[in-house]
Amino acid sequence: MSRFNALDENRLEQLRDLAGASNVSTGQADLDLHAKDQSHHAARQPEVVIYATDTQQVARILQFANEACIPVTPWGVGTSLEGNPIPVHGGILLSFEKMTQIVKIHADDFQVTTQPGIGRKDLNVQLARHGLFFAPDPGANATIGGMLANNAAGIQTVKYGATKDNVVQMQVVLADGRILRLGSRSVKQSSGYNLMQLIVGSEGTLGVITEATLKLAPVPEHMSAVVAAFSTVTEAVEAVVAVRGCGIVPAALELLDTTAVTMLNTTGDVDLAPHPSIFMEFHAAHETSLTAELDLIREICKEIGAINIQATADPTERKRLWHARHALYENAVRQNPGKTFYVNDVAVPISAYPELIAYIEQQRDAHGMTAYLVGHAGDGNIHMAMPYEGETGYQNAQALNSEVVNKAIELNGTATGEHGVGLGKIPFMTHEHGDALIAMRQIKDLLDPNGILNPGKIFPEGM
Amino acid sequence: MSRFNALDENRLEQLRDLAGASNVSTGQADLDLHAKDQSHHAARQPEVVIYATDTQQVARILQFANEACIPVTPWGVGTSLEGNPIPVHGGILLSFEKMTQIVKIHADDFQVTTQPGIGRKDLNVQLARHGLFFAPDPGANATIGGMLANNAAGIQTVKYGATKDNVVQMQVVLADGRILRLGSRSVKQSSGYNLMQLIVGSEGTLGVITEATLKLAPVPEHMSAVVAAFSTVTEAVEAVVAVRGCGIVPAALELLDTTAVTMLNTTGDVDLAPHPSIFMEFHAAHETSLTAELDLIREICKEIGAINIQATADPTERKRLWHARHALYENAVRQNPGKTFYVNDVAVPISAYPELIAYIEQQRDAHGMTAYLVGHAGDGNIHMAMPYEGETGYQNAQALNSEVVNKAIELNGTATGEHGVGLGKIPFMTHEHGDALIAMRQIKDLLDPNGILNPGKIFPEGM
């Protein structure tokens, strides 16, 4: 039996009063639309979808839900990859679709204050006219609230950091309706406990973010791309270490394994050497700097034994090369018609990358599976995209996923570099965190004693 | 009456058993040495100094102190500036002087795992042979544990981040003796709550750090320095914004006001224009890049109306210029014999910097005081160094400090950018954090229910 109360008509009526009737929907289409993210995890419909309109309204809804013991699951736009916003216990799905306003662009401070429902791409369109952008790039047009809640990262993290590194202030509503302002607009802060970073990455289980002030970066004047192929993953990683050690900070530093590169050659508009390859992007304020950097990078790759190097500062050529990387998932889907994808996400210290990848390739072959490997190598983060079919296929994908996650943890890494725990990584939390997981649970129980916020996530059942 | 128990001979005997007799000292010299940091705050002796030797021993000491209700105040080397490690309630002073081992240098991962008692300068000597360094630079040879506890920052934060941005994993002992491993050696992590960042900057009030794995940066191949003088602070800040907006990330970006520059001219080995000046340092992997960057920076400063620009890539000349900045405090002390210094620390969004500085200058003159202004302008952080004498002088310094802190908070900034709350910033916590301070206190009470860890800090009395 559920420890939560159902949303009967009486409670729905109260919610209509609190949230505004036009913001409360029990329509089947709305429930369907908010039952599933982009992961392989099973859909589960909420009982009601409520559209958040402002902080005070969110506070009223939470206070009511807390007293009535009704689950509340915040929802950005559903691009997450571990079932993070699936309302597995039903209740209220709190959508931020209507809270998309940019509150203020602080151009001189390289900051923007925004509501959480705006998509990062939409935000960047507005910021572009100020020559600024919000750098974390998970690929999808994820909302800012979702990116903060999951601590999303992506391909530019090696230079610009993850979402957690690009926020200075947030407004957060706690389960009991308390409204907190966390952090300040100063980029440097050493004042009391860092509650902001406690909320970031907590996947909506500790509080609901209703406003955030983000750090921005100037749009780079000059960009270049390098793709270098190596005969082994070990050599490719050696190049990654050497590039990072030379003092040039790449804006992106990706590794694709031979399977992924070969697949791109058949489907993409590129002609890559069929070997483990690193894709790099560099941003510079000055063309002379860029050219000097490209020369140094080329030299480093050559020295380590690159089979093939393509380097370009030409925008069209750079875009063409990177398009192949960006379209990888799309192409993989096209090459595997009728199949579903299981996408894995682990991260390790960079020195453990070759061992991790060797292990993945070995286990993949042992299971007789297809898995495209693409990693944010600069951060030691890797994804396997595993196409599968039917129950057996799913079991296989899940088995390989488990093996790889446990291996990553044993290599002093983590079960998730950027997708969050959601539903899929719950089984690994004790292995990864040990007693720290108990302390996390204590904090959850302190801030959300009735457990209404996004229940069923992060912690194993019964903990 | 104190809510803590005194350390009678019986309890001391138990502590000798738990900690090792040679690690427990009640000698007057030891008590004296651990009664005061480098701030203006009054000394207070602990009842006993215990030297930590390993994590298990620390866990035993904390478990005992927790059950016996005896204060425990962790101590690095006492270079803090807000009274952070002064044992105001007596009890146990837990010194990390004996825990100075580097556990492992992970050169390929740009990481080091170390015990907390090592000084950052001593650490960097060891790292230099690997071409690496730990970038946060608060000036003093602070310990890593102290830097983590206070989230120390300093002049290179604009490029390399504060201490909080340069740690991936920590071992922490909670008040009840539980040992937690927080974070992982992966630089990217999105796995559960960020307890590590909750502990960083908590000034020893939530847990005791016994080991940390830090992020390192490659020692830059090429460095340059630029000093530019402007007729007003507003123009100087315009230059700061323009430099940051051009895409070149300076390694340091400091502002000195006219008072500070004039003082340096009389005492230092420099000939600076007696105007608000910005000191910049740039790190590059390539000499060509450096030259190109210097040209761009010079152009930007000229365009904004710089009166004087000194730019150099020559190591000797660069060191001479920066020596003036580094020796500022020392020179200020020499110019004010017999006086004590009250050093203030606030930070605001960079756009509010001119207003803050105008306010400081106005209030300083209203109080008829001397105050040298030196700021990490790239981060919106500023310090006033106020020489004072006698009780009236102290009252004046404190009054000016209060005015400036409240002004910084009103400008959406913070009471402390890098010195932490300690004793001095307690009165401003409610103004800065509002209800968030109550949530912080709830977390303190959860993790340290008997309040034994560094009592008397961060929170107002009775909260």
Side-chain angles (χ1 to χ4, degrees), chain B residues 36-42 73 80-88 203 419 421-424 454 457:
Chain B
K36 197 179 177 337
D37 64 358
Q38 286 182 9
S39 72
H40 60 88
H41 295 285
T73 302
S80 53
L81 292 165
E82 276 300 355
N84 320 60
I86 298 177
V88 289
E203 306 183 24
H419 294 175
V421 180
L423 295 167
N454 200 6
K457 309 295 162 59

Side-chain angles (χ1 to χ4, degrees), chain A residues 181-451:
Chain A
R181 206 198 52 147
L182 306 178
S184 80
R185 285 227 296 112
S186 164
V187 291
K188 228 182 201 176
Q189 342 185 352
S190 212
S191 178
Y193 304 159
N194 199 338
L195 298 190
M196 189 170 69
Q197 291 296 342
L198 184 65
I199 301 292
V200 172
S202 68
E203 306 185 23
T205 66
L206 291 180
V208 177
I209 302 160
T210 56
E211 192 179 288
T213 300
L214 309 170
K215 280 192 211 173
L216 306 174
V219 173
E221 288 284 325
H222 303 276
M223 295 161 85
S224 68
V226 178
V227 177
F230 296 86
S231 42
T232 64
V233 168
T234 305
E235 272 186 14
V237 170
E238 253 178 66
V240 169
V241 172
V243 167
R244 298 208 51 199
C246 83
I248 299 173
V249 182
L253 183 35
E254 304 276 297
L255 175 81
L256 274 63
D257 79 338
T258 309
T259 316
V261 168
T262 308
M263 188 266 290
L264 281 182
N265 274 341
T266 34
T267 56
D269 181 26
V270 283
D271 181 21
L272 303 167
H275 293 279
S277 298
I278 55 177
F279 281 61
M280 290 174 275
E281 186 168 294
F282 299 93
H283 294 173
H286 206 286
E287 205 169 346
T288 319
S289 303
L290 203 69
T291 315
E293 286 182 10
L294 270 190
D295 288 346
L296 187 56
I297 297 297
R298 212 185 267 115
E299 207 176 289
I300 288 171
C301 291
K302 250 187 222 161
E303 222 164 78
I304 285 161
I307 296 166
N308 189 283
I309 304 174
Q310 303 182 50
T312 180
D314 174 69
T316 315
E317 180 62 9
R318 177 178 57 75
K319 278 185 190 155
R320 199 180 60 84
L321 278 174
W322 270 99
H323 178 72
R325 162 64 191 92
H326 286 299
L328 185 130
Y329 185 69
E330 218 171 89
N331 283 330
V333 171
R334 214 179 307 142
Q335 277 228 321
N336 293 275
K339 295 196 179 165
T340 310
F341 272 76
Y342 195 124
V343 180
N344 151 297
D345 162 49
V346 295
V348 293
I350 187 72
S351 62
Y353 217 59
E355 186 176 343
L356 178 70
I357 290 176
Y359 178 81
I360 292 175
E361 290 178 332
Q362 171 202 309
Q363 294 308 101
R364 175 184 64 184
D365 297 347
H367 287 280
M369 289 178 62
T370 302
Y372 306 101
L373 298 194
V374 49
H376 311 308
D379 309 304
N381 192 192
I382 197 148
H383 303 300
M384 301 188 285
M386 299 176 274
Y388 70 88
E389 229 171 350
E391 185 54 27
T392 316
Y394 178 73
Q395 300 284 355
N396 271 339
Q398 199 161 40
L400 181 55
N401 176 61
S402 289
E403 289 162 5
V404 170
V405 173
N406 283 320
K407 181 73 176 178
I409 295 170
E410 279 151 29
L411 291 169
N412 294 311
T414 176
T416 166
E418 54 183 17
H419 293 174
V421 181
L423 294 167
K425 294 295 169 59
I426 292 175
F428 310 99
M429 289 298 97
T430 302
H431 183 190
E432 177 167 350
H433 297 294
D435 284 350
L437 192 67
I438 298 169
M440 290 181 201
R441 184 72 224 190
Q442 288 183 286
I443 287 174
K444 166 72 176 173
D445 292 340
L446 174 77
L447 295 180
D448 178 19
N450 297 330

Side-chain angles (χ1 to χ4, degrees), chain A residues 197-198 435-440 443, chain B residues 170 180 182 192-200 447:
Chain A
Q197 291 296 342
L198 184 65
D435 284 350
L437 192 67
I438 298 169
M440 290 181 201
I443 287 174
Chain B
M170 298 195 315
L180 305 185
L182 306 178
Y193 304 159
N194 199 338
L195 297 190
M196 188 170 70
Q197 290 296 341
L198 184 66
I199 301 293
V200 172
L447 295 180

Side-chain angles (χ1 to χ4, degrees), chain A residues 109 150 190 193 205 351 418, chain B residues 109 150 188 190 193 205 351 416:
Chain A
D109 295 319
N150 283 352
S190 212
Y193 304 159
T205 66
S351 62
E418 54 183 17
Chain B
D109 295 319
N150 284 351
K188 229 183 202 176
S190 212
Y193 304 159
T205 66
S351 62
T416 167

Side-chain angles (χ1 to χ4, degrees), chain B residues 25-35 44-49:
Chain B
S25 168
T26 51
Q28 199 52 50
D30 271 332
L31 301 184
D32 281 345
L33 268 172
H34 298 91
R44 169 65 161 89
Q45 287 184 1
E47 291 160 73
V48 63
V49 175

